[in-house]
Amino acid sequence: MDRAAEAIRESIELKRKVLDDRALMAELALATEAIIKTLKAGGKVLLCGNGGSAADAQHLAAEFSGRFYFDRPPLFAEALHVNTSYLTAVANDYSFDEVFARQVRAKGARGDVLVGLSTSGNSPNVLRALDEARDLGMTTVGLTGEGGGKMKGRCNHLIAVPSKDTPRIQEVHITLGHVICELVEAALFERK
């Protein structure tokens, strides 16, 4: 049980560190404003990641397109990995590095937002998607870990959690994702 308590303490301490990081919190606010602006204009939010980050991308897409705190119209948000036939075909015919970039090219448009999740900041398929999104004139948001990895410089808004511990980073990513969902929902809809 000592390790369980320590893991929870580590998670709490990292969240405190994030809360006290003014630059990170400012970047979170800017990313949230960009998403609000896009959705107000009828644009889309596309999300991508691998493994646990894919699960987080899918979770956040569901919060936007379903509901978060209250019933309201759906928002266009899609996790780019959910079509396994597409994913395996493109990975087989081109390469795994191309699976998200091709979907960004097909589904993204100027003014849309791409949220890339990678705890290391170095996932080649997420990096390619961010490059493609920038080329299309999309706003790019990166959720990553300490230092930002290769995502640094590829994102309009980089939210780099100050840790190298993958599980702790992912716990903060979903917390920050929930904060974004809550603020977007409150900005776009009146709670009845």
Side-chain angles (χ1 to χ4, degrees), residues 25-41 45 64 111 113 139 141 157 159 179-181 183-184 186-188:
M25 294 301 288
E27 206 59 48
L28 176 67
L30 291 170
T32 302
E33 285 303 315
I35 292 169
I36 290 167
K37 180 180 174 187
T38 290
L39 293 170
K40 267 187 183 175
V45 176
F64 282 125
V113 173
T139 298
V141 175
H157 307 290
I159 302 166
V179 168
I180 291 169
C181 290
L183 296 173
V184 167
L188 296 178

